[in-house]
Amino acid sequence: MLRKIRLYLAVAGLVLITLLFLDFTGILHQWFGWLAKIQLVPAILAVNVVVIAVLVLITFLFGRVYCSVICPLGILQDGISHISGKRKGKKNRFRFSKAKSWLRYGLLFIFVVALIAGSSVIVSLLDPYAAYGRIASNLFAPVYRLGNNLLAWFAERMDSYAFYTTEVWVKSWITFGVAVSMLVLVGILAWKNGRTYCNTICPVGTFLGFISRFSIFRPAFDTKKCTRCNACERGCKASCIDVKTMSIDHSRCVTCFNCIEKCKFDAMHYSLRKVGRKEPLVNGSTFGETTQKEGISRLSFFSIAGLFAFTHTVRAQQLQVDGGLADIEDKKVPDRKTPVVPPGAGSAKNMKQHCTACQLCVSVCPNHILKPSGKLSTLMQPEMTFEQGYCRPECVECSQVCPSGAIKPITAAGKTAVSIGQAVWIKDNCVVNTEKLACTACERHCPTKAITLVPVNPEEDQNKPPQRFGRRAPVLKYPVVDKELCIGCGACEYLCPARPFSAIYVEGNVRHHVV
């Protein structure tokens, strides 16, 4: 019964979290967005004390339930392992193996140091939630959207508009490659050895494993009933049950209840732990040592203590803009000295320190302006770019879904007063200068009226003779940007007709400020 309950909760959680990355309507986030905020690493980065305390308490009471019910990457591994176990003769394929403590606690130490030093790349690569987010948004989402577009095509031919088409494109080949590599790595390990990734690489699993060593409820042997048939050991995907010594390494046990389900002699129970290294549990029986005798090194202890001490302080389709010119080239991304990060981030530094690069904000952005960074210092973290659209004043989707505090919640009214960047005009790219054409695109579309057009030659323009029918020749004007009013929304850059580089682009502010 316990195993079935866990399975139902795990499957429901995995489906809903996956849909958060697939849903492009924003509806599901209103109901199930909290699932992203109860993930451990985002909660630590957001200094969400309540969530951290609850997760630690649950682990202390019931063991690593988080890894088998809440963590999407862990549940994905269970699914892959289950499929592998369906092969003939492969159902009971696991064996007890000693814990690779040096690797587990070494990676945890590196993870803690990365958190302290603000090395977002290492944190994002090791965070299991972020890893699954990249897999879902880069591999699952395109397939989901292609299916949606296919339904929309059929619906349109039946005069129904229940579905509408949406863009399908690869936002970053680097992030796509990282997602594929992670899926392959996790998939191979899960296919062959179940929870190997969780118990050798994942720092979250190591940290929670340390707490679960002292869990109140845990699986335990009834030595009077045990026949040493090895069913529990061969069914343990964490490879943490040693029937020879009748011991369980509870730091690696993910509380999946497979051992209880496999035991035909009622010799395995999930029961209350009593104080002591060997304690009576069922009918006066005892179970072996809770962990192997390797113990925990001082380095491991300080790594875990440090975690709490320091963490609290190419497109399928592209929209094109008709600027009145004949042939429209694809726009190229300008070389920004400072990246533009979303309103609510506060600063580029805050984004770098708190973002896990899970891609949730990238997935939900309806304007297609958030893309994963390709720079090493901020690898895969979202940056704003305006070839596909601009940051509309009424949209606050990214701030509502971020689970790590990298983008804090803001309102539409508050967003319009936050300057995230400054528009910069490049004379050599402007069609007024290169083509001698009158253009008012940047001024007309600026939502804050921060752009004013001034005549190129005021005196000459006044003395120009009228053309036929009494009309004057168009007056050529250059844009002037009022830095006190510009909020860096990117409307001018997106709607500028100059190609391949816009004549006006947004340079990010190191620190956001109110205009």
Side-chain angles (χ1 to χ4, degrees), residues 460-482:
E460 293 182 9
D461 291 335
Q462 292 179 358
N463 299 325
K464 277 186 178 181
Q467 292 182 325
R468 294 178 62 185
F469 307 109
R471 291 183 179 180
R472 286 184 176 274
V475 177
L476 299 181
K477 296 182 178 182
Y478 287 151
V480 176
V481 180
D482 186 346

Side-chain angles (χ1 to χ4, degrees), residues 76-288:
L76 176 66
Q77 291 175 72
D78 286 346
I80 296 173
S81 179
H82 177 72
I83 295 173
S84 175
K86 287 293 184 180
R87 296 175 299 164
K88 184 177 181 181
K90 296 294 183 179
K91 290 184 178 180
N92 300 313
R93 66 191 189 280
F94 303 113
R95 293 291 186 274
F96 172 78
S97 62
K98 293 183 178 180
K100 295 177 175 57
S101 299
W102 63 272
L103 179 59
R104 297 174 67 195
Y105 293 109
L107 287 172
L108 177 60
F109 178 76
I110 293 173
F111 183 78
V112 173
V113 171
L115 280 174
I116 298 169
S119 179
S120 56
V121 176
I122 296 176
V123 173
S124 62
L125 288 174
L126 292 178
D127 175 24
Y129 165 74
Y132 182 80
R134 289 188 289 271
I135 292 172
S137 61
N138 288 276
L139 305 182
F140 301 161
V143 177
Y144 179 83
R145 293 195 175 198
L146 285 172
N148 170 82
N149 291 350
L150 183 62
L151 290 174
W153 186 84
F154 282 112
E156 184 179 350
R157 275 141 188 79
M158 294 185 290
D159 295 327
S160 172
Y161 295 92
F163 299 92
Y164 61 90
T165 58
T166 183
E167 288 186 289
V168 182
W169 56 313
V170 177
K171 298 178 177 64
S172 169
W173 287 108
I174 295 177
T175 307
F176 181 84
V178 171
V180 171
S181 301
M182 178 59 70
L183 181 60
V184 171
L185 172 64
V186 170
I188 291 175
L189 292 176
W191 185 269
K192 291 186 175 181
N193 301 304
R195 285 293 189 119
T196 301
Y197 179 87
C198 292
N199 285 328
T200 54
I201 299 175
C202 179
V204 173
T206 303
F207 169 68
L208 295 178
F210 172 76
I211 300 174
S212 67
R213 287 164 57 98
F214 313 102
S215 59
I216 303 300
F217 292 92
R218 54 176 55 178
F221 284 98
D222 181 346
T223 55
K224 290 187 176 180
K225 294 182 179 179
C226 181
T227 62
R228 298 179 185 267
C229 66
N230 283 349
C232 56
E233 179 179 328
R234 296 178 67 186
C236 178
K237 58 193 175 187
S239 300
C240 65
I241 298 178
D242 187 1
V243 173
K244 292 181 180 179
T245 60
M246 287 199 177
S247 62
I248 302 174
D249 183 355
H250 293 285
S251 70
R252 291 186 291 157
C253 176
V254 294
T255 320
C256 66
F257 306 117
N258 281 2
C259 55
I260 298 175
E261 185 83 8
K262 292 283 185 180
C263 184
K264 299 179 180 180
F265 303 98
D266 194 31
M268 186 68 70
H269 297 265
Y270 184 67
S271 53
L272 184 67
R273 174 180 68 92
K274 293 184 179 181
V275 179
R277 203 166 178 79
K278 293 187 179 181
E279 67 234 269
L281 287 178
V282 182
N283 298 327
S285 63
T286 63
F287 69 88

Side-chain angles (χ1 to χ4, degrees), residues 403-417:
S404 66
I407 309 175
K408 294 180 172 59
I410 57 173
T411 62
K415 174 184 175 180
T416 56

Side-chain angles (χ1 to χ4, degrees), residues 20-80:
L20 292 180
F21 290 92
L22 305 185
D23 178 39
F24 50 84
T25 64
I27 296 175
L28 288 176
H29 287 275
Q30 299 176 13
W31 296 94
F32 303 109
W34 57 271
L35 286 171
K37 298 181 180 181
I38 62 172
Q39 304 296 323
L40 183 60
V41 174
I44 291 174
L45 292 171
V47 197
N48 194 331
V49 179
V50 175
V51 172
I52 297 172
V54 170
L55 293 178
V56 170
L57 179 61
I58 290 175
T59 306
F60 181 71
L61 290 175
F62 306 109
R64 286 172 58 182
V65 179
Y66 174 93
C67 298
S68 56
V69 176
I70 299 176
C71 178
L73 191 66
I75 303 169
L76 176 66
Q77 291 175 72
D78 286 346
I80 296 173

